[in-house]
Amino acid sequence: MKTRPAGIGSANADWMGSLPSKLSAMPLKHLAVPGSHDSFTYWVDVHAPVGPDQKLFVKYLAMVFSVLAKKVMVKWSMTQNLTFREQLDAGIRYFDLRVSSKPGEPGNEIYFIHGLFGHKVRDGLLEINTFLSRHRKEVVFLDFNHHYAMDATHHVYLINTLQEVFGSRLCHNCTVDTLTLDYLWDKKHQVIVFYHHPAADGVPVMWPGSKIPAPWANTTEPSKLIQFLETTLKKRDNGGAFHVSQAILTPRVNTVAKGLLWGLRNYLVERNLPAIMSWVEAQRPGMDGVNIITSDFVELTDFANIVIKLNNLLLSEQGHKAR
């Protein structure tokens, strides 16, 4: 059985509900919210075909070398170790979701995907919903930002699944500027779904991707990542959108080649986390500050706790202004 690293428990399971009233009355886009990158990759299926999100040469290698190639892919596809429930207990409230059908499979079932197929989306949503039913003041952001091998019927199936699972917990698309936890609690809404595809246009409980920009640095170098995060924060659209700071490094083909057997965590993430976390710790939420911050392997550091505690700066700021 997998043991959790020290510090990972349910201490942050109710952090939103425990916020002081000054913060629950603030626009949600001004609060600091911890999120995970490729949130669902804690399990992938090495026996399923390689996903349609992969380039042809990767599919060819997987076909030739079969399970061996997929085991290497697992090391580079997995960006999280914790399940949805464990991430929620740890305080993660934003989930980065990529989904796909399985080409050739009958029916409209949709799966999480990142190189390799993961769990059925419905199963993941049910796990999240179970947590929300026990923690009535917690709110999650579900960001469906990549869709693969999906036609109109697949989109209808997924959108209907979201509505069936969450029901009245879904928050209607509304003005970001005025959306607060107090409002969500009053309406008993706990789920904000962003659906980056025209298939969701006109569905009241599906928010457009334009309301949650997540600029991506696409670099392996921490210094370039931090420069990018700073630049994009300065350009943050304060006119009606949340903002995701992706505090992640992205492997290139030569990165994978050099660290083939090491994998993403050992070769790229662990050695660079101190520099990235120093940047996170130095941030401030609020009007021109950070909002949602995402990380790989959220349990490797005190990531969620550090991001949540940034909100205390808003209290001291208010107190200072009052004096």
Side-chain angles (χ1 to χ4, degrees):
M1 184 177 167
K2 181 175 69 177
T3 56
R4 294 201 219 183
I8 292 296
S10 56
N12 290 325
D14 293 292
W15 74 263
M16 285 180 158
S18 304
L19 287 175
S21 57
K22 282 183 180 178
L23 297 184
S24 64
M26 272 191 189
L28 195 47
K29 70 172 193 173
H30 289 168
L31 299 184
V33 178
S36 57
H37 169 240
D38 284 324
S39 310
F40 48 85
T41 53
Y42 50 85
W43 180 84
V44 289
D45 186 359
V46 294
H47 300 293
V50 171
D53 61 331
Q54 290 300 292
K55 292 181 172 63
L56 280 174
F57 79 90
V58 177
K59 293 179 183 177
Y60 173 75
L61 287 173
M63 186 176 69
V64 172
F65 297 105
S66 190
V67 174
L68 179 64
K70 288 180 188 172
K71 284 184 176 175
V72 171
M73 283 185 72
V74 167
K75 292 188 175 186
W76 289 94
S77 294
M78 289 181 72
T79 63
Q80 304 299 334
N81 283 324
L82 304 184
T83 65
F84 281 133
R85 183 188 64 78
E86 289 170 332
Q87 290 182 49
L88 286 160
D89 281 344
I92 300 298
R93 295 293 176 268
Y94 166 91
F95 296 98
D96 166 32
L97 306 171
R98 301 165 192 223
V99 296
S100 177
S101 72
K102 277 187 183 172
E105 182 181 83
N108 295 314
E109 199 64 69
I110 304 297
Y111 299 82
F112 295 118
I113 192 164
H114 188 226
L116 296 167
F117 286 100
H119 289 291
K120 290 177 182 177
V121 172
R122 177 183 284 273
D123 292 343
L125 300 181
L126 288 169
E127 188 175 358
I128 293 168
N129 192 57
T130 298
F131 172 87
L132 294 175
S133 67
R134 294 171 183 162
H135 304 272
R136 298 294 180 131
K137 286 192 166 184
E138 300 308 293
V139 174
V140 297
F141 299 79
L142 304 183
D143 192 357
F144 288 86
N145 49 55
H146 287 73
H147 305 81
Y148 299 97
M150 289 175 63
D151 59 26
T153 59
H154 292 113
H155 284 288
V156 168
Y157 173 82
L158 179 53
I159 292 166
N160 285 344
T161 299
L162 283 159
Q163 294 182 90
E164 285 166 17
V165 171
F166 295 119
S168 60
R169 286 200 172 95
L170 290 169
C171 179
H172 284 231
N173 179 14
C174 61
T175 307
V176 173
D177 288 350
T178 56
L179 188 67
T180 65
L181 285 173
D182 284 344
Y183 171 85
L184 291 164
W185 295 342
D186 181 58
K187 299 290 184 184
K188 296 183 168 52
H189 294 328
Q190 292 180 272
V191 184
I192 306 173
V193 175
F194 300 88
Y195 203 93
H196 298 236
H197 194 279
D201 291 354
V203 182
V205 289
M206 298 290 116
W207 293 53
S210 59
K211 287 196 172 181
I212 193 155
W216 173 45
N218 192 17
T219 181
T220 57
E221 297 178 38
S223 58
K224 286 185 179 176
L225 168 64
I226 289 164
Q227 186 180 16
F228 178 86
L229 291 170
E230 291 286 350
T231 303
T232 50
L233 258 186
K234 285 172 186 166
K235 295 177 183 173
R236 178 181 171 185
D237 174 19
N238 277 311
F242 296 101
H243 182 86
V244 181
S245 297
Q246 297 199 63
I248 58 163
L249 296 172
T250 305
R252 305 255 166 91
V253 172
N254 64 339
T255 317
V256 177
K258 287 177 187 171
L260 194 64
L261 299 176
W262 287 76
L264 178 70
R265 174 176 166 170
N266 293 331
Y267 191 76
L268 192 62
V269 176
E270 286 185 340
R271 66 172 73 177
N272 293 305
L273 262 179
I276 295 171
M277 289 310 299
S278 291
W279 179 84
V280 173
E281 289 173 348
Q283 296 315 295
R284 295 184 77 88
M287 181 86 65
D288 301 309
V290 291
N291 179 201
I292 297 160
I293 307 176
T294 61
S295 176
D296 288 325
F297 300 107
V298 295
E299 82 289 352
L300 288 182
T301 63
D302 204 16
F303 171 73
N305 227 14
I306 288 166
V307 175
I308 292 164
K309 285 180 177 175
L310 294 177
N311 290 304
N312 292 335
L313 297 171
L314 294 171
L315 288 174
S316 56
E317 203 172 78
Q318 282 200 341
H320 178 71
K321 285 178 182 172
R323 288 196 297 276

